[in-house]
Amino acid sequence: MTIAGDFSVKQAPVVGWSEVDGREAALVRRCASGEEAAYAELVADHQRMIVQLAMNLLGDRDEALDLSQEVFLRVFRTIHNFRGHSSLRTWIYRIAVNQARNRHRFWRRRHRADQVSLDAHVATHGDFLTGHEAGPDRVLAQKELAARLQSALDHLPFDQRTAIVLREVDGLSYEEIAYSLGVAVGTVKSRLTRARQALRLELREAHEERSA
Amino acid sequence: MNGIRCTDARRRLQAFHDHELPVSDQIAIGGHLEDCAGCSAELAELVELRTILRSSMPGRTALAAGDDTSFQEAVLGRLNAEHTLSFGVRVREMFEDMHLVYAGLGAAAAAVVCAAIMLGMMPFGASQGPGSNQNPVAVNPFVRMPRPIDEPFSTARTPQGDSLFMLAAVVTREGRVEHLEHLAVENTDSWPASTDAEQAKLLEDLMGAVAKARFEPASVGAAPVAVNMVWIVAHTTVRASPVGFNFGRPTFPATPLKRQA
C-alpha cells in the first residue's frame, strides 16, 4: 500500500445532549433540582478520577483532597449551566483543571517549593512498581527513572503538564483535552509534543547513564 | 516497507500512539513500524514513557479503598454547611424569632415617621427665614430699597389744607404692599390740619392708592426680600412772604423704621 506523506488526525464528533448517556442526563437533572442522593451518586462516580488528577497536578495529597472537594462544590453550584456540550466527565475535568490552575498560580506567587525528594515521594505515596519484572536492581533503576521523569514533569509549564497527564494517565482524547483546557486541538497537540520531547530527553539521558 | 517515509511516519507517531489517526492512517503507520526499526524505537520510547507515568504518578494512590465514603461525606458536609450559611437560609432564620422582627419593624417605622416630620417642617423653615413674606426685615444699608413701578401716589386726591399721614406696610418679595396700616401721628400742633372728615377721606384715598401700588422688590444681593416700610406723607401749603421763604417741612422719603406690632 502506498500512502502519501500527509496524514490527517481524525476529528472527534461534537457531543450534544442527545449523545450524553441517558443515566448521566438524568443524574444531572436530579442534581440541578437539589436532590442530595444525586449529589452523592455524582461524587461516587467521579471522585477517584478527580482526586487522582488533582494529585497528579498538585503533588500534595491534602491539597489534592481539598481541591477535589472544591471541584465538586463548584460542580454542584454550576450544574444548572451544564448544557451537554461535552460529556459530564469532561466538563468536570474542565472545572478541575481550572481550579488546579488557580491553585498552582497561588502557589507560584508564594514561591512554594514544588520538588519532592524520591524518598519523600515514596514515603508519601508508597512504592510505585510491582516487583513482578525482576530483582531489586531493576526495581531500583525503575524507581530512579520514575523519579527523574517525575521531576522533569514537575518542571514543565502547568499547561504542558496538564496536557500530558490528561493524555497519558487519564487517557483523554485530544478533543476532550482541548475542551478541558479551553484551547484548540492544535494547541493540545503542540503542548503534548513539547512535553513529550522534554520527558523523552530525560528518559534517554537516564538510559545513557545506566548503560555507561 | 510500505512506501511511507520515516520522516512522515515520525511526524505522525504521537497521533498513532494516541490512536488519534483515521483508521486507514493508523493501519499504514502500523505497517511501517513493523518494518522500520528506527521508528519502532521511537514508538517504544513513547510507550515506555506512558508506562512509567501511569505506574509512578502520585495520583494512583491518592484515594485508598476506604477513603471513598469519607470523601463523599466530606463533600456533602461542606455542601450542607454552605447551604446552611447561604443568604436565604439566614433570612429565614431571622424570621424565626419574631421579637427581633417586631423590634426591627418598630425601629424602621419610627425612622420613617421622623423622616416624614423633618420633611414636613422643611418648607416652614425655608419660608419663615429672614426676608420671607412672613418675616420681613428692616431696611438697612445692605438692603437695596424697593422702587415703585409707575407713580403709586399720583392718583391721590390733593387735600385743601396741611395734612400729615404716616403709613406702615410690608413690601413683599413679589413687590406687593401688604399689611397696610395708618400710624398715629404725634405732635401735629405746628401742622394746621384740615377738617377731620376731609382728612378721613384723604386717608382712605391715599391708602387705596398705596395698596394698589406695585414695587420692584427690595433685594439683598440678587435675592428679593420682604421689607417693613413706613411712609410719611405730608401736604404743606406754602405761602410767599416778603420777608423770606419758608419751605416748610419737606416730604420725607421712605424711612426704614422697625415695624410695630
Side-chain angles (χ1 to χ4, degrees), chain B residues 65-84:
Chain B
D67 294 340
D68 290 11
T69 312
S70 60
F71 181 82
Q72 263 183 58
E73 287 171 355
V75 171
L76 295 178
R78 280 180 70 170
L79 193 66
N80 286 330
E82 203 173 66
H83 175 73
T84 304

Side-chain angles (χ1 to χ4, degrees), chain B residues 47-121:
Chain B
V47 172
E48 185 184 12
L49 188 61
R50 176 171 293 172
T51 306
I52 293 173
L53 286 176
R54 285 192 175 171
S55 61
S56 66
M57 289 298 285
R60 67 199 170 87
T61 57
L63 207 60
D67 294 340
D68 290 11
T69 312
S70 60
F71 181 82
Q72 263 183 58
E73 287 171 355
V75 171
L76 295 178
R78 280 180 70 170
L79 193 66
N80 286 330
E82 203 173 66
H83 175 73
T84 304
L85 294 174
S86 70
F87 180 73
V89 173
R90 276 184 285 170
V91 169
R92 274 200 298 277
E93 282 175 355
M94 283 168 64
F95 282 88
E96 281 176 2
D97 185 356
M98 290 307 286
H99 290 91
L100 293 174
V101 177
Y102 294 143
L105 287 175
V112 168
V113 168
C114 287
I117 290 171
M118 283 177 63
L119 289 173
M121 289 176 69

Side-chain angles (χ1 to χ4, degrees), chain B residues 206-223:
Chain B
L206 184 63
M207 290 186 74
V210 172
K212 290 175 188 168
R214 287 291 178 271
F215 290 80
E216 186 182 327
S219 59
V220 175

Side-chain angles (χ1 to χ4, degrees), chain A residues 26-40 76-77 79-80, chain B residues 76 79-80 83:
Chain A
L27 182 62
V28 169
R29 276 192 288 273
R30 285 168 57 210
C31 285
S33 66
E35 191 182 315
E36 191 164 330
Y39 291 153
F76 296 142
R77 276 187 221 121
I79 199 156
H80 55 277
Chain B
L76 295 178
L79 193 66
N80 286 330
H83 175 73

Side-chain angles (χ1 to χ4, degrees), chain A residues 102-116:
Chain A
N102 291 341
R103 198 161 293 212
H104 181 260
R105 285 177 183 153
F106 176 81
W107 281 9
R108 200 171 49 186
R109 279 200 298 272
R110 281 154 183 74
H111 307 289
R112 178 175 174 136
D114 56 357
Q115 291 186 42
V116 179

